[in-house]
């Protein structure tokens, strides 16, 4: 397994460009199952998860032509079967996103039930409850979701017990081809849900209210192809801003969207960062100062995103003062804490909160990544630590961060990949 070797203590400075959003690209790629026409998707990030989604669609017979800069043309017309196999689903939970569109367009779907992962059990019960309410016949047996519908799904009034991003996306896609109107209450408001809605509208879907907690979809008989460019990745953006803040550096992040990062930018300002924003860029300058500790609680958008909790824990580890970080979305998203303690961090988990007492610096050590965002936080810890840190199991990081060592090297980091 590849490792990353980092020599920390260098303030990061420079400019980088942000890639397309993984968590928008994945549902948009799944939505191509809603039409037999070709859908052209551009600004896709170079990530393992994108390749896995292309592999998943391909194994069912869907045709994809990858162009330059990872634009891809996807056509589901040649689809041969409707089975999303466990071998692929187990590597990427977001495979569940093919369920709604496949069921709505082809009347059937067999999707391996995603298992839990490092950050929690992550059930999909709300996806299935909603699709059943739309008339689907769904049985879960032998580790597979067997779904079918004679004719079209029916529009329904659906109240989501919990805010679920991919649950909202699955229902929105299924409802686009249903007979009648579907109202999703307590819908996820994430920008990636909005991006998917915009792509579906470009395919001819009739959707209103995306970005609010109530989304109304008037089902149509068929959807057509379109060309769509994926939004910038707000989590990648925030991760680099936090890394530069932790190392007391200065950065300009380009090809991004400041308006969807308000909760993160305000916490960075609280930590002492000087922030300037433009139409598609953000600059951050610590003026060489040590960050101040902050306290935060994660929650669904527009509150502070759970996908940036681990990164802020790393920032607090070397900040001035103490801060508490509370995780309310997932039940086990503190795996990085124990690894940071091995680097000398002064932090303690109590329930769903980690109390952090900032230290002047950390000590480099061999650490192990457990999930995508925890990996990013350990890299940040390595960038601020004295001497050398090696991060193992970085296949996690390659799922969600495009060319991470190259981008960090552009910012002056001493980081290199050690092949296994
Ligand atoms: C999406 O996951 C993202 N993934 C996650 O990003 C992100 O952390 C998460 O939303 C929260 O923002 C993609 O978009 C591909 P949820 P998702 O359904 O949709 C519970 C990353 O690092 N729940 O919003 O799977 C669930 O257990 C990844 O890029 C149910 O109980 O998350 C969790 O506690 C990690 N039943 C909460 O809801 C359900 O049927 C929110 O989960 C569905 C969810």
């Amino acid at each position: 397994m590849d490792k990353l070797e980092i020599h920390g203590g260098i303030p990061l400075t420079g400019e980088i460009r942000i890639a397309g959003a993984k968590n928008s690209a994945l549902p948009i790629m799944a939505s191509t199952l809603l039409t037999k026409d070709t859908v052209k998707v551009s600004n896709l990030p170079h990530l393992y998860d994108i390749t896995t989604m292309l592999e998943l669609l391909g194994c069912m017979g869907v045709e994809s032509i990858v162009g330059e800069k990872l634009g891809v043309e996807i056509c589901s017309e040649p689809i041969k079967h409707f089975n999303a196999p466990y071998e692929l689903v187990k590597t990427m939970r977001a495979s569940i996103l093919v369920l709604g569109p496949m069921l709505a367009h082809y009347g059937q779907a067999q999707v391996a039930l995603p298992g839990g992962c490092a950050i929690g059990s992550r059930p999909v019960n709300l996806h299935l409850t909603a699709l059943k309410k739309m008339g689907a016949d769904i049985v879960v047996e032998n580790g597979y979701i067997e779904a079918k519908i004679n004719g079209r799904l029916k529009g329904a009034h659906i109240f989501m017990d919990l805010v679920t991003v991919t649950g909202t996306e699955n229902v929105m896609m299924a409802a686009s081809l249903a007979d009648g109107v579907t109202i999703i209450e307590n819908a996820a408001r994430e920008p990636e849900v909005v991006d998917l809605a915009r792509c579906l509208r470009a395919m001819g879907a009739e959707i209103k209210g995306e970005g609010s907690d109530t989304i109304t979809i008037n089902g149509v008989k068929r959807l057509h192809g379109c060309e769509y460019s994926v939004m910038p990745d707000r989590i990648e953006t925030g991760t680099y801003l936090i890394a530069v803040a932790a190392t007391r550096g200065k950065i300009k992040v380009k090809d991004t969207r400041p308006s969807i990062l308000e909760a993160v930018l305000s916490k960075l300002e609280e930590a002492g960062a000087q922030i300037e924003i433009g139409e598609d860029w953000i600059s951050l300058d610590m003026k060489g100062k040590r960050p101040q500790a902050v306290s935060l609680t994660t929650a669904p958008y527009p509150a502070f995103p759970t996908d940036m909790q681990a990164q802020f824990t790393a920032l607090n580890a070397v900040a001035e003062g103490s801060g508490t970080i509370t995780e309310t979305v997932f039940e086990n998203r503190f795996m990085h804490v124990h690894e940071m303690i091995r680097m000398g961090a002064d932090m303690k988990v109590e329930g769903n909160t980690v109390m952090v007492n900032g230290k002047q610096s950390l000590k480099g050590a061999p650490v192990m990544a457990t999930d995508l965002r925890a990996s990013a936080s350990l890299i940040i810890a390595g960038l601020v630590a004295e001497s050398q840190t090696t991060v193992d199991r970085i296949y996690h990081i390659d799922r969600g961060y495009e060319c991470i060592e190259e981008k960090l090297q552009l910012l002056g980091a001493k980081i290199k990949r050690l092949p296994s």
Side-chain angles (χ1 to χ4, degrees):
M1 261 173 247
D2 284 4
K3 292 181 184 179
L4 284 177
E5 181 186 278
I6 305 162
H7 289 270
I10 302 164
L12 300 184
T13 58
E15 292 191 359
I16 58 162
R17 293 187 178 283
I18 292 300
K22 165 179 83 81
N23 291 349
S24 172
L26 293 173
I28 285 172
M29 291 166 78
S31 76
T32 61
L33 290 162
L34 288 165
T35 176
K36 289 188 169 57
D37 295 351
T38 296
V39 179
K40 294 184 182 177
V41 188
S42 56
N43 197 36
L44 286 172
H46 293 72
L47 299 173
Y48 279 175
D49 275 9
I50 301 301
T51 314
T52 303
M53 182 58 86
L54 286 174
E55 213 179 318
L56 175 62
L57 293 170
C59 88
M60 296 188 282
V62 173
E63 191 179 81
S64 304
I65 303 169
V66 180
E68 74 288 346
K69 282 190 73 179
L70 211 69
V72 63
E73 295 183 18
I74 300 175
C75 177
S76 80
E77 201 273 333
I79 194 166
K80 292 185 182 58
H81 66 76
F82 309 104
N83 180 297
Y86 180 62
E87 294 66 43
L88 285 171
V89 174
K90 73 182 177 187
T91 66
M92 186 183 67
R93 307 180 36 71
S95 307
I96 189 70
L97 285 163
V98 302
L99 174 63
M102 214 154 41
L103 179 62
H105 188 204
Y106 296 102
Q108 59 177 304
Q110 296 87 33
V111 179
L113 192 63
C117 73
I119 63 178
S121 59
R122 300 186 73 184
V124 290
N125 58 310
L126 301 178
H127 301 232
L128 306 186
T129 305
L131 293 172
K132 281 178 188 165
K133 198 154 183 198
M134 296 173 74
D137 173 26
I138 296 186
V139 172
V140 178
E141 57 187 11
N142 309 322
Y144 273 79
I145 300 163
E146 304 278 350
K148 60 178 184 294
I149 178 85
N150 295 323
R152 292 170 73 187
L153 291 168
K154 302 278 175 290
H157 191 158
I158 290 160
F159 186 87
M160 293 296 205
D161 291 350
L162 277 174
V163 174
T164 160
V165 174
T166 49
T168 300
E169 290 166 345
N170 242 334
V171 175
M172 198 163 68
M173 289 189 280
S176 299
L177 285 178
D179 178 11
V181 176
T182 298
I183 298 171
I184 309 174
E185 304 260 20
N186 199 25
R189 299 168 57 187
E190 270 68 5
E192 294 76 20
V193 174
V194 174
D195 213 29
L196 172 63
R198 287 179 180 154
C199 180
L200 291 171
R201 198 175 289 121
M203 294 165 73
E206 292 176 17
I207 298 177
K208 286 195 307 237
E210 69 278 5
S212 78
D213 60 6
T214 304
I215 303 177
T216 304
I217 306 105
N218 182 24
V220 294
K221 280 208 168 50
R222 69 178 292 278
L223 293 173
H224 51 72
C226 74
E227 296 191 14
Y228 195 80
S229 179
V230 169
M231 63 177 273
D233 194 318
R234 62 191 169 105
I235 308 299
E236 184 192 24
T237 302
T239 301
Y240 284 103
L241 292 173
I242 297 165
V244 171
T247 59
R248 313 184 190 187
K250 178 177 178 182
I251 187 173
K252 183 170 186 180
V253 181
K254 299 192 283 190
D255 297 347
T256 189
R257 195 177 290 176
S259 60
I260 56 178
L261 277 151
E262 283 176 1
V264 175
L265 296 180
S266 106
K267 280 299 166 189
L268 283 166
E269 285 179 326
E270 213 181 296
Q274 184 171 316
I275 303 251
E276 284 177 50
I277 61 175
E279 173 70 24
D280 62 353
W281 59 267
I282 301 169
S283 73
L284 175 145
D285 189 352
M286 291 301 287
K287 304 280 187 202
K289 292 199 305 287
R290 184 180 174 192
Q292 298 295 312
V294 296
S295 292
L296 60 90
T297 298
T298 69
Y301 192 88
F304 190 92
T306 173
D307 291 348
M308 273 191 266
Q309 176 263 105
Q311 297 90 316
F312 250 95
T313 304
L315 181 130
N316 267 1
V318 291
E320 196 162 335
S322 301
T324 58
I325 305 236
T326 301
E327 171 62 56
T328 70
V329 178
F330 291 108
E331 65 265 32
N332 185 34
R333 205 167 199 178
F334 287 135
M335 306 279 274
H336 47 284
V337 170
H338 315 295
E339 294 300 284
M340 287 181 196
I341 289 170
R342 295 182 53 249
M343 299 174 74
D346 177 359
M347 42 180 79
K348 188 167 179 294
V349 177
E350 287 181 6
N352 66 342
T353 294
V354 56
M355 334 281 281
V356 187
N357 301 310
K359 296 185 76 172
Q360 187 66 25
S361 75
L362 301 176
K363 294 270 180 291
V367 293
M368 188 173 74
T370 50
D371 63 270
L372 170 53
R373 306 305 172 184
S375 326
S377 73
L378 293 175
I379 289 173
I380 293 172
L383 290 167
V384 300
E386 294 160 3
S387 70
Q388 177 179 302
T389 296
T390 48
V391 183
D392 198 354
R393 298 194 177 180
I394 53 160
Y395 57 85
H396 291 294
I397 201 87
D398 292 331
R399 293 189 47 194
Y401 289 93
E402 181 185 80
C403 312
I404 190 161
E405 66 263 36
E406 287 82 356
K407 289 190 177 181
L408 287 171
Q409 284 161 0
L410 273 179
L411 298 174
K414 274 196 181 156
I415 180 170
K416 65 180 179 184
R417 186 175 290 253
L418 303 176
S420 43

